[in-house]
Structure formats: structure tokens, C-alpha cells
Amino acid sequence: MKIAVDAMGGDLAPQAIIEGAIQAATELPSDAKIILIGNENIIKDVFKGYGDVPSCIDIVHAEDVIKMGEHPTKALSQKPNSSIAIGFKLLKEKEVDIFCGAGNTGAMHVGALFSIKAIEGVLRPAIAGFVPQLGGGHAIMMDIGANADCKPEVLAQFGELGSLFAQYTFQLSKPRVALMNIGEEEQKGSLTAQATYPLLEQNKKINFIGNIEGKDLFTNKADVIVTDGFTGNILFKMGESLYEIAKKRGIKDDFIDQTNYEAIGGSPIVGVNGNVMIAHGVSTPLAIQNMIGWAYKQVKSKAFLHIAQALN
């Protein structure tokens, strides 16, 4: 298995990316290899502070970098030799099994759509967030930022995509799918939420349990939480803030520790013909290390293949 990582993407790159890759290399199974993509001279200079490059880490040279503030589509077309563009080229050509990056989120999302493309039948691929649950494990929330505005049909499909993803990622036979709303009653919420509810209810391929509220985010009521990217992003980042608040107040709690973005490190794009994970721009070595660990699980789950098979 080859796990490609954008070595130049992120506010703390390349130092944090390389350090995280070195830490991950000590924990990955023997069948895994990490491919760092970026300026070879810069990467090797950073490695000098850590000794020899581990045998399970290879470097693929990329001359350019897409910066955080650049327009995604323009940058990808104008910088074909950037680390993100080369990463997706390798993924498209099946030279690597997954591509991970903490760089320009828009470029990562657009790059996935332009290279490996959406699975046939998918209306809009989504970014999935791993939400820790009080009873242990995680729920999948879709979307957490890729699609700020969604029609009912798109939200309803998120329920099906999320169900399939959870089924094969977490080995759940009948994942519980819920719609995030402002009340549990069927008639509650915006016009979009009200129109989405019956579409989810009528889909016999999923185990729809109805609406949940914001207070239910962490309480193990659902395995898949359906929402638009605007609401999902706000909820997800508010959840992540619990760790920083607790840390500032000197509070130590095992569950709150799981809300720290470093605990998972990355979020997969669900609905494309391949494996892609997006990390926070401020990713630390620990976040990168954990993202690579989850990337390994993602490839092993073959979730995107199961989704494609189910939709076809």
C-alpha cells in the first residue's frame, strides 16, 4: 500500500508533515509505504535533523506549491508541477492508493473532482467528519464544508453515501442515519430539511431513524449525521473547540481529548473514485501521524469501491 502525502501543504509544512510521517512510519504495518510529495531538496534538508530517511518513506519531487490563498481551479491549471497536482496525478494513475494533504482545501477538493472524478450517480461528493461519541467510536457527519448549500436530493444521497461509508469503515451492518435538525418532529426545520425527511424515510437501503438535534451530536444516537456543509462545518468546528477550551481551563477528560482535531487528523472525501483525505491547515506532526494511520484504514476498507458498486 502506498500512502501519498503532500509534504508542502499546510501552515507548518514541510517540518510538521515530515515529522508526522516519520512518527507514522514507526507504527504502520509492513505492507505500507509513505510517499512524500514536494521539493526534494527542501524535504531532504528537513530530514537531516532526524537522521536517515526511513526505508518505508519515498520522496517524489514537485517543483511548485499551491498556497493557501490561491484560487483552487486556477492554481491547479497554472501549476501542473505542484505537490497537489502531482499527488492527484499519481492517484489517478493508481501509482498510490490514497492522497492526503493539509494544504489548500479547495484545491484538494477540486483536484479530486478533476482527476479521479465523482462516482457515477453521485450528485455531489462530500467531506465527511469523524464525530467522537460518548459511548466510544465515531459517527460520520456529511457534509462538513464542501457543499454549503444543498438541495433535498443531495442531502438524501448523503444519507446513503454515509451509510455505505460507515458500514465498511466501521463494520456496521445497519448504520443508523439521522437528519440534523432543530427538533425531532418530522415537520420541524427549514423547507429543505422538511423536504429531505421523506426522501430519507422512503429509502429502504438505509436505516433512517429520524431527526436529531445539536444536543445529540456526541450522544451515540446515530452512526451517520446528515447535514449541509454550512451547518456541518459550524457544528464540527464548535465540537473541536471543546478541547481548546478544556485545555485553557486545565480540564483533562478522555472524551474531550477525542474532540481535538489531532485525534483523527483528516477527513475523507466521500463519493469520488478513489481515496482522498484532507487535513487542517494548522496540522501538527501528531495530526499528520494520525491522519496517515486513518489513511491506512481507509484504503483497507475499500469503501469507495463498495459505494460505486452499490450505486451501479
Side-chain angles (χ1 to χ4, degrees):
M1 180 192 301
K2 292 183 178 180
I3 301 170
V5 181
D6 177 7
M8 314 308 289
D11 297 340
L12 305 178
Q15 186 81 33
I17 312 301
I18 293 169
E19 186 176 333
I22 292 171
Q23 292 171 357
T26 64
E27 299 177 346
L28 285 174
S30 58
D31 65 332
K33 199 172 200 57
I34 299 170
I35 312 297
L36 291 176
I37 305 171
N39 188 293
E40 188 172 10
N41 291 331
I42 293 175
I43 294 173
K44 286 183 175 179
D45 280 344
V46 174
F47 263 116
K48 289 177 182 177
Y50 299 94
D52 295 331
V53 179
S55 59
C56 66
I57 296 180
D58 286 341
I59 301 170
V60 171
H61 180 68
E63 193 67 33
D64 292 328
V65 178
I66 294 177
K67 297 177 182 177
M68 289 295 197
E70 291 190 72
H71 188 280
T73 307
K74 287 182 180 179
L76 282 166
S77 62
Q78 294 170 359
K79 293 184 174 180
N81 294 318
S82 65
S83 51
I84 290 179
I86 289 176
F88 279 114
K89 181 176 182 290
L90 294 174
L91 186 63
K92 180 181 179 181
E93 295 174 351
K94 302 188 186 308
E95 294 293 325
V96 299
D97 298 291
I98 187 168
F99 179 44
C100 312
N104 186 308
T105 301
M108 289 292 292
H109 195 257
V110 171
L113 294 177
F114 281 6
S115 60
I116 55 175
K117 302 185 177 358
I119 292 170
E120 185 176 356
V122 170
L123 300 173
R124 288 193 185 182
I127 301 175
F130 293 90
V131 182
Q133 300 296 296
L134 284 168
H138 296 82
I140 292 294
M141 183 156 65
M142 291 175 55
D143 182 16
I144 63 164
N147 305 282
D149 297 296
C150 297
K151 293 181 179 179
E153 294 78 10
V154 173
L155 290 174
Q157 190 177 69
F158 285 171
E160 188 170 342
L161 294 176
S163 179
L164 288 163
F165 185 85
Q167 181 181 344
Y168 292 103
T169 301
F170 300 141
Q171 288 78 53
L172 300 174
S173 59
K174 293 181 66 177
R176 298 162 298 165
V177 179
L179 177 64
M180 180 57 69
N181 209 328
I182 59 171
E184 294 182 357
E185 297 85 357
E186 179 179 348
Q187 67 274 16
K188 281 290 185 74
S190 65
L191 293 176
T192 300
Q194 291 177 40
T196 301
Y197 191 103
L199 296 179
L200 289 167
E201 188 176 40
Q202 293 161 15
N203 189 341
K204 302 306 179 185
K205 297 178 183 179
I206 64 173
N207 176 23
F208 181 57
I209 62 169
N211 291 327
I212 61 170
E213 301 176 69
K215 65 183 177 64
D216 304 316
L217 186 64
F218 303 117
T219 59
N220 200 31
K221 281 196 173 182
D223 303 301
V224 179
I225 301 167
V226 176
T227 186
D228 60 86
F230 183 85
T231 305
N233 188 273
I234 291 172
L235 280 171
F236 197 69
K237 288 181 177 175
M238 184 186 70
E240 289 179 337
S241 73
L242 295 177
Y243 173 77
E244 290 299 329
I245 293 170
K247 186 177 178 181
K248 288 177 181 178
R249 296 178 65 86
I251 299 170
K252 179 67 176 175
D253 180 89
D254 289 343
F255 170 74
I256 291 178
D257 285 348
Q258 293 303 307
T259 66
N260 178 11
Y261 81 93
E262 295 173 310
I264 297 293
S267 297
I269 299 179
V270 178
V272 292
N273 285 297
N275 296 301
V276 181
M277 290 198 80
I278 299 175
H280 265 290
V282 295
S283 287
T284 62
L286 178 60
I288 298 301
Q289 174 187 354
N290 288 333
M291 176 182 67
I292 293 172
W294 273 91
Y296 181 88
K297 297 176 188 177
Q298 195 61 59
V299 175
K300 285 291 186 182
S301 75
K302 299 181 180 179
F304 85 90
L305 293 173
H306 291 294
I307 290 173
Q309 183 178 12
L311 292 184
N312 290 332

